[in-house]
């Protein structure tokens, strides 16, 4: 990477170029950009702004490329920093390539989904695929320009005994697929056994490995259990091997975690994985909020990021219920962005609170247009404000003539 690009990224993150370079060289910051893509690299990790990912993609029941491209557009407009294509229905090659072609931000995938779909087309199950099939599927994604790939390398044969006592079992599609493969073939996880081959591929394309949490808890009763921690310890070893090979790696994390365990989980990952960037799904702090899990995840995400998580995977209102639609995507991104920004403010990230202060000045002056324009979601704010104009000039319908801000200006200024 040339000096000017590094300097530009450092400036955006409130860092000095030499400091950012040291963080990248130590593996505590990753720069997402496949060598085949002409996008600006995205910095994720220590001392950088908390980033947000949006998952899109088809299912076996719902396949519509135009809808997925609209989800992509809405996610980017709402402020997503990255996109993951998790398609498992339809022509996944076409869908992935169109998403990459239209995405101005880094794109991630889970290549073994592709392997499973290809196997089905040849009337085979995923456990029947060969190691060669798996690595060919991975290379196809990297050759298409995918910037980061989730690989479930930490799920090993010793994992079987640790998950049987769980309430929620295994909720990661990739995690359970690797367990199926190991049981059927009576062999070790090929992504673990042939990890050096995976590292060589990632290095060739300058892609980042997102070391998947195949045993993440899917119920708060299973949080921080033996299965989760055992996998994390394995991932810690894999992070060191990636760094030694000159490959960027970040670590994926839970999952369903009650509030009182979030700090410990973040500190544990940062210790075991030597400060590797931590990419968390939520975490979701309760299991009961079906239809509102974007809120559940935003609560957990704000806390996780405050304690040191670097990258939030959004959760939509459809989580646990169905495939997200376009509006679900928008709401999921906004909820996670609120969480990320709240953490940036609390972490005193350079410039984070300036946004809040600017909006507060407009609010204190009753400059509604400017306040709305500088809000996180101006379109939504404008629509809400316009629903019912106040009869009192300069006020909204919450207080009308009793507007405290208006009275303050009249009384004190």
């Amino acid at each position: 990477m040339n000096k000017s690009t590094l300097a530009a990224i450092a400036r955006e993150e409130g860092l000095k170029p030499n400091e950012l370079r040291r963080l990248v060289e130590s593996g505590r910051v990753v720069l997402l950009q496949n060598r085949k893509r002409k996008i600006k690299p995205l910095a994720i990790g220590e001392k950088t702004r908390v980033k947000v990912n949006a998952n899109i993609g088809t299912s076996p029941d719902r396949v519509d490329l135009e809808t997925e491209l609209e989800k992509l557009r809405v996610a980017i407009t709402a402020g997503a920093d990255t996109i993951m294509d998790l398609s498992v229905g339809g022509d996944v090659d076409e869908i992935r390539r169109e998403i990459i072609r239209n995405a101005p931000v880094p794109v991630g995938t889970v290549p073994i989904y592709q392997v499973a779909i290809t196997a089905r087309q040849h009337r085979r199950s995923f456990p029947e695929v060969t190691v060669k099939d798996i690595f060919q599927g991975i290379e196809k994604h990297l050759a298409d320009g995918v910037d980061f790939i989730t690989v479930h390398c930490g799920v090993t044969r010793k994992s079987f005994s640790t998950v049987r006592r769980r309430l929620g079992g295994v909720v990661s599609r990739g995690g359970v697929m690797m367990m199926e493969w190991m049981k059927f073939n009576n062999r070790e996880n090929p992504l673990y056994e042939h990890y050096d081959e995976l590292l060589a591929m990632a290095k060739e394309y300058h892609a980042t490995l997102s070391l998947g949490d195949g045993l993440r808890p899917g119920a708060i009763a299973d949080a921080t259990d033996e299965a989760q921690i055992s996998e994390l310890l394995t991932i810690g070893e894999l992070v060191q091997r990636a760094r030694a090979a000159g490959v960027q790696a970040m670590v994926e994390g839970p999952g369903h975690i009650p509030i009182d365990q979030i700090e410990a989980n973040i500190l544990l990952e940062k210790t075991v994985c030597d400060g590797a960037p931590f990419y968390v799904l939520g975490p979701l702090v309760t299991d009961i909020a079906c239809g509102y899990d974007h809120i559940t995840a935003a609560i957990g995400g704000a806390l996780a990021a405050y304690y040191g998580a670097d990258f939030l995977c959004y959760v939509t209102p459809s989580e646990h219920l169905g495939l997200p639609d376009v509006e679900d995507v928008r709401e999921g991104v906004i909820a996670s962005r609120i969480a990320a920004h709240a953490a940036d403010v609390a972490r005193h990230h350079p410039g984070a609170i300036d946004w809040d202060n600017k909006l507060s000045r407009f609010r204190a002056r009753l400059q509604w247009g400017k306040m709305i324009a500088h809000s996180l979601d101006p379109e939504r704010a404008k629509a809400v404000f316009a629903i019912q104009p106040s009869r009192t000039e300069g006020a909204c319908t919450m207080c009308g003539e009793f507007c405290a801000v208006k009275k303050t200006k009249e009384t004190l200024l």
Side-chain angles (χ1 to χ4, degrees):
M1 180 182 300
N2 61 51
K3 289 184 178 180
S4 62
T5 301
L6 187 72
I9 297 170
R11 187 164 52 249
E12 289 181 359
E13 298 296 341
L15 297 170
K16 294 181 179 179
N18 286 342
E19 184 178 18
L20 177 58
R21 185 182 298 278
R22 285 195 298 271
L23 288 167
V24 172
E25 289 174 349
S26 70
R28 291 174 176 244
V29 168
V30 296
L31 297 174
L32 302 185
Q33 183 197 32
N34 186 305
R35 66 171 175 81
K36 301 190 73 173
R37 297 198 68 204
K38 299 184 184 302
I39 58 169
K40 182 171 64 177
L42 179 71
I44 297 176
E46 188 175 306
K47 297 186 179 181
T48 67
R49 175 177 58 83
V50 179
K51 306 304 190 300
V52 170
N53 173 72
N55 292 336
I56 62 174
T58 59
S59 77
D61 296 317
R62 292 173 60 185
V63 178
D64 185 334
L65 175 57
E66 292 307 312
T67 296
E68 297 311 316
L69 292 177
E70 179 62 10
K71 289 180 187 178
L72 169 64
R73 186 193 68 78
V74 167
I76 299 302
T77 301
D81 297 290
T82 66
I83 296 292
M84 286 200 80
D85 170 29
L86 305 184
S87 293
V88 288
D91 186 342
V92 293
D93 284 328
E94 180 188 16
I95 294 165
R96 179 180 64 258
R97 288 164 186 162
E98 282 299 299
I99 287 172
I100 291 172
R101 188 173 69 84
N102 287 277
V105 298
V107 174
T109 61
V110 186
I112 62 168
Y113 295 171
Q114 166 99 51
V115 178
I117 291 167
T118 301
R120 185 177 61 194
Q121 292 168 347
H122 292 87
R123 298 184 179 181
R124 291 187 294 161
S125 65
F126 178 77
E128 294 176 288
V129 304
T130 66
V131 174
K132 182 179 179 180
D133 293 332
I134 292 172
F135 280 89
Q136 284 179 337
I138 292 171
E139 184 154 28
K140 176 187 280 193
H141 282 225
L142 295 176
D144 281 346
V146 171
D147 302 284
F148 63 104
I149 56 171
T150 292
V151 281
H152 299 87
C153 308
V155 182
T156 61
R157 295 184 72 180
K158 66 182 180 183
S159 304
F160 285 83
S161 62
T162 64
V163 298
R164 290 192 175 97
R165 297 183 292 275
R166 278 188 159 182
L167 176 64
V170 179
V171 298
S172 161
R173 284 191 300 207
V176 79
M177 286 167 69
M178 299 317 302
M179 294 186 79
E180 285 183 301
W181 193 94
M182 287 186 282
K183 183 177 181 179
F184 180 85
N185 292 280
N186 195 30
R187 290 179 57 186
E188 186 54 272
N189 180 347
L191 297 177
Y192 177 78
E193 187 175 5
H194 301 278
Y195 188 60
D196 288 339
E197 184 177 345
L198 180 61
L199 291 174
M201 279 188 184
K203 187 171 185 178
E204 179 183 354
Y205 290 95
H206 197 264
T208 298
L209 296 183
S210 188
L211 299 172
D213 52 340
L215 302 181
R216 65 177 180 269
I220 59 173
D222 299 329
T224 326
D225 69 353
E226 182 183 358
Q228 178 195 335
I229 302 307
S230 177
E231 181 185 25
L232 181 62
L233 293 174
T234 300
I235 288 173
E237 298 170 4
L238 297 177
V239 166
Q240 295 299 334
R241 289 175 61 184
R243 289 176 177 175
V247 174
Q248 298 189 125
M250 57 186 175
V251 177
E252 297 186 10
H256 291 239
I257 299 287
I259 284 174
D260 63 319
Q261 296 182 33
I262 291 176
E263 181 179 14
N265 271 262
I266 304 303
L267 294 176
L268 186 62
E269 185 276 342
K270 290 294 182 179
T271 301
V272 170
C273 300
D274 191 25
F278 201 16
Y279 176 24
V280 295
L281 179 65
L284 292 88
V285 296
T286 181
D287 300 338
I288 64 169
C290 300
Y292 299 93
D293 275 326
H294 59 311
I295 299 173
T296 308
I299 295 169
L303 286 167
Y306 172 68
Y307 290 124
D310 309 284
F311 192 19
L312 304 182
C313 185
Y314 87 162
V315 173
T316 76
S318 293
E319 184 78 9
H320 303 110
L321 298 172
L323 190 71
D325 62 19
V326 172
E327 181 59 20
D328 288 328
V329 168
R330 192 193 71 81
E331 289 195 26
V333 172
I334 294 296
S336 285
R337 283 193 64 207
I338 293 169
H341 179 71
D344 282 337
V345 170
R347 286 161 54 161
H348 305 288
H349 189 273
I353 200 170
D354 294 346
W355 186 4
D356 296 75
N357 290 343
K358 180 181 289 187
L359 189 141
S360 293
R361 280 192 289 270
F362 294 139
R363 179 175 287 148
R365 296 168 186 163
L366 294 175
Q367 294 176 307
W368 297 99
K370 290 183 178 180
M371 184 189 81
I372 288 168
H374 286 80
S375 64
L376 185 74
D377 186 358
E379 184 179 340
R380 173 69 180 274
K382 184 178 181 180
V384 171
F385 183 67
I387 288 174
Q388 186 179 346
S390 174
R391 293 194 297 268
T392 301
E393 184 179 355
C396 74
T397 55
M398 179 69 181
C399 298
E401 65 179 292
F402 299 103
C403 174
V405 177
K406 186 177 177 65
K407 292 289 185 181
T408 298
K409 292 176 68 176
E410 293 171 351
T411 304
L412 300 179
L413 303 180

